[in-house]
Amino acid sequence: MRLLLVFAAAAIPLLAQPRFTDVTAQAGIVFKHNAAKAGKKWLPETMGAGCAFIDLDGDQYPDIVLVNPRPVIYRNNRNGTFTDVTATAGLPALGTFPMGVAAGDYDNDGRVDLYFSALDGDHLLHNEGGFKFRDVTKAAGIANASFGTSAAFFDYDRDGKLDIFVANYVQWTPQGDLRCSLDGVSKSYCTPESYKGVSSKLFRNLGDGKFEDATRAAHLYDPSSKSLGVAVLDYNSDGWPDLFVANDTQPNKLYRNLKNGTFAEEGMSAGVAFGEDGVARGAMGVDAADYDRSGRPHLLVGNFSNQMLGLYRNEGKSLFVDEAPRSTVGRSSLLCLAFGVFFFDYDLDGWLDIFSANGHIEEEIARVQPKVKFAQAPLLFHNLGRSSESVRFEDVSAKLGTDLTRPLVARGAAYADFDRDGDLDILITSNNGPAVLYRNDARPPQNHWIGVKLEGTKSNRSGIGAVVRVESPSGKQWRMVHSGSSYCSMSDLALNFGLGQDASITAIEIEWPSGVRQRLAGVKPDQYLVIQESK
């Protein structure tokens, strides 16, 4: 086993007033999403693109990837600023309507590769080092021109090679565009109910840089789905990665990994296919994590306006219950159209909070629904911890500074500690608008933390699918390293654990996809570690 201490975080003074600060300009981020709007009200114009925090050069500082017809890469300068390195990166054009980005080291060469989804065809880019990429889509056997949206790398057969799942949306072409209207007079954007669905795809990694389409063989073929989000989770705790797929106006899907290369769909019986009223909702982004320290992963789903967020608590025995309708999470999110959503511990108190990036698809929605706005402010729910048998959340969106309350037509959202000061920052993209970088100045200075980055040897190099457990005096926490989640976006593969006021760590345990288990004792908090799987 090799454990590398990367560094202790620099001491950065926190503001007296807890807040998230818009540092986009001072960080050097200059970006505007091109939605290719030409007055025709085409459905893909409304979807917009994702973003990623990912360490592309292995220096342990997350870089930024922004999706556009020509994607953009910003190198982290390790001083709070970024440099645009797109010009020499060799990135391909992604067509008029690009959608999402995912990342993982599919060939285990130590460099993280990129997958871009798009209406007209996805792209797999091999990381050549030095912020240079090579388009290997055709050579790798990747073929998906089915309105790809969110994507995720994961090792579903646990052979040490990362496979790729791509969520696909609907059958839409310019020639087949339909006319819809909000007021019966002028054309508006159609909902996905107007179009036929299309199956998502699974690409199995064969090694040697090759993939095969394993969608049907894995029993994942479903042409009725209209998928926008995917989360990888182990919801039955059997050590094998399962899939939750968020569908827009179609039932959500929960695929249990049968450990033999196939999956069984259990969304209906598990209680996650529909809303509480038994109707399929307009599901967008999704995430999975253990927000109540029960030891089980729960689900967070962003839905259409007037439908509220879905907060599905995993009760065990393959059963989930939506907690949102009876909580602040549901009441505060009812009028929002949520795209990028995720769990993260913004104040490092050891309890996972909820973030939602919101924005409508129709500019004129307020004319027919006065309470619903086109541009909407993000939502942040603070986890108050367990009270009796339940966990309560408080809507603190308006308490964390005016920057976070500024309305956006938000789409993608991701988190990472970009300045490596210990707390998690936020990146949001907006439809036909800017990307916004929020620095976290909201965590109490007395709260401790530990950051963990994994390097697989027997397992995939990215450590995707590995589970890290941290025990400190106040209790136990765990996270799974995962790709995907949110909406068309990717958060940092490094894991951050808030420790509250615990000044010591009892133990860190890692369960690798290969079956290797490691235990570390005597680790001090407030530092980042790189942990390599036992050789």
Side-chain angles (χ1 to χ4, degrees):
M1 177 186 73
R2 187 179 64 155
L3 181 150
L4 301 178
L5 171 63
V6 181
F7 53 84
I12 296 179
L14 299 175
L15 298 182
Q17 175 64 40
R19 62 188 294 124
F20 277 84
T21 307
D22 182 348
V23 294
T24 312
Q26 69 187 69
I29 305 297
V30 181
F31 175 86
K32 184 179 185 295
H33 171 244
N34 180 5
K37 292 187 176 183
K40 298 181 180 180
K41 297 283 186 176
W42 283 355
L43 175 64
E45 298 172 7
T46 69
M47 305 313 295
C51 57
F53 272 125
I54 192 73
D55 179 11
L56 294 171
D57 59 349
D59 67 352
Q60 310 308 327
Y61 278 75
D63 308 296
I64 287 176
V65 180
L66 297 167
V67 181
N68 233 1
R70 179 74 69 175
V72 176
I73 292 179
Y74 281 95
R75 183 188 68 215
N76 193 324
N77 296 326
R78 299 190 288 182
N79 62 1
T81 69
F82 292 80
T83 298
D84 188 339
V85 295
T86 309
T88 58
L91 304 177
L94 302 179
T96 306
F97 297 112
M99 293 292 155
V101 58
D105 184 358
Y106 75 85
D107 58 351
N108 293 323
D109 66 353
R111 296 185 295 269
V112 181
D113 310 297
L114 296 174
Y115 188 97
F116 288 101
S117 61
L119 170 70
D120 298 323
D122 299 352
H123 291 263
L124 177 64
L125 303 186
H126 183 262
N127 189 338
E128 303 284 293
F131 289 98
K132 297 184 184 301
F133 294 83
R134 177 167 51 94
D135 192 335
V136 296
T137 310
K138 186 175 181 180
I142 299 294
N144 185 54
S146 303
F147 207 151
T149 54
S150 296
F153 285 86
F154 74 132
D155 185 5
Y156 79 96
D157 50 5
R158 294 195 354 185
D159 64 353
K161 301 185 293 289
L162 288 176
D163 314 295
I164 303 170
F165 180 89
V166 188
N168 287 325
Y169 194 33
V170 296
Q171 297 180 35
W172 181 92
T173 63
Q175 297 76 23
D177 181 66
L178 302 175
R179 178 181 172 82
C180 298
S181 178
L182 282 174
D183 57 13
V185 179
S186 57
K187 185 180 180 183
S188 61
Y189 292 107
C190 292
T191 67
E193 294 165 304
S194 305
Y195 297 97
K196 293 181 179 179
V198 59
S199 180
S200 298
K201 286 189 177 180
L202 173 67
F203 293 103
R204 179 172 176 263
N205 192 333
L206 301 175
D208 298 323
K210 302 289 186 180
F211 291 81
E212 68 174 1
D213 187 338
T215 312
R216 292 180 184 271
H219 300 170
L220 293 175
Y221 182 76
D222 179 9
S224 69
S225 287
K226 301 174 182 180
S227 305
L228 289 176
V230 57
V232 181
L233 73 163
D234 179 9
Y235 72 91
N236 57 354
S237 302
D238 65 354
W240 290 75
D242 311 303
L243 291 170
F244 176 83
V245 181
N247 283 315
D248 190 358
T249 70
Q250 289 291 309
N252 299 323
K253 305 294 182 181
L254 183 63
Y255 293 102
R256 177 166 59 90
N257 193 325
L258 299 181
K259 312 177 190 178
N260 61 1
T262 67
F263 293 80
E265 204 286 300
E266 298 183 344
M268 181 85 72
S269 61
V272 298
F274 304 104
E276 197 175 47
D277 57 1
V279 177
R281 296 190 281 193
M284 313 292 175
V286 63
D287 197 15
D290 182 6
Y291 69 81
D292 63 354
R293 294 194 180 187
S294 64
R296 298 182 294 268
H298 315 291
L299 288 166
L300 175 66
V301 183
N303 291 310
F304 209 78
S305 54
N306 297 305
Q307 293 180 341
M308 75 179 58
L309 289 169
L311 182 61
Y312 294 98
R313 186 179 187 275
N314 187 341
E315 301 289 325
K317 299 181 180 179
S318 299
L319 179 65
F320 291 75
V321 175
D322 190 357
E323 298 286 337
R326 59 187 65 86
S327 75
T328 301
V329 173
R331 291 190 294 272
S332 294
S333 64
L334 180 60
L335 298 179
C336 294
L337 200 169
F339 274 88
V341 297
F342 51 73
F343 293 106
F344 78 140
D345 184 1
Y346 83 89
D347 59 346
L348 301 178
D349 66 353
W351 294 88
L352 290 174
D353 311 299
I354 290 174
F355 182 81
S356 175
N358 313 304
H360 213 278
I361 63 170
E362 177 56 65
E363 293 98 324
E364 304 297 324
I365 187 62
R367 289 199 297 121
V368 293
Q369 296 184 44
K371 293 184 178 181
V372 178
K373 307 302 180 184
F374 179 49
Q376 303 174 1
L379 290 173
L380 201 162
F381 298 97
H382 180 224
N383 190 330
L384 300 177
R386 184 179 291 110
S387 174
S388 184
E389 294 300 317
S390 63
V391 165
R392 296 178 297 116
F393 289 89
E394 176 191 4
D395 183 354
V396 295
S397 312
K399 297 181 179 181
L400 295 175
T402 57
D403 289 352
L404 201 63
T405 61
R406 187 171 68 251
L408 295 168
V409 186
R411 294 296 184 261
Y415 61 85
D417 180 9
F418 81 86
D419 50 6
R420 287 301 193 241
D421 64 350
D423 51 37
L424 294 170
D425 312 295
I426 298 172
L427 178 66
I428 299 179
T429 58
S430 57
N431 181 266
N432 212 44
V436 184
L437 178 64
Y438 298 94
R439 187 183 66 217
N440 186 343
D441 298 313
R443 58 109 164 180
Q446 69 271 19
N447 284 356
H448 297 282
W449 55 276
I450 189 72
V452 177
K453 176 73 175 296
L454 299 184
E455 290 184 0
T457 52
K458 294 180 180 180
S459 305
N460 68 85
R461 184 67 175 266
S462 296
I464 289 174
V467 173
V468 178
R469 304 183 190 278
V470 174
E471 182 178 355
S472 63
S474 62
K476 297 180 179 179
Q477 304 176 59
W478 69 278
R479 309 266 198 281
M480 184 175 75
V481 182
H482 65 280
S483 174
S485 287
S486 189
Y487 169 76
C488 290
S489 297
M490 171 89 186
S491 293
D492 192 9
L493 290 172
L495 301 178
N496 280 52
F497 292 83
L499 302 173
Q501 297 186 40
D502 291 351
S504 63
I505 296 172
T506 306
I508 297 176
E509 296 181 347
I510 304 99
E511 301 170 9
W512 296 88
S514 66
V516 169
R517 291 174 178 261
Q518 294 174 223
R519 179 180 173 87
L520 311 175
V523 176
K524 295 181 180 180
D526 304 326
Q527 60 180 330
Y528 275 93
L529 306 175
V530 175
I531 303 174
Q532 189 180 64
E533 185 177 12
S534 298
K535 290 186 178 180

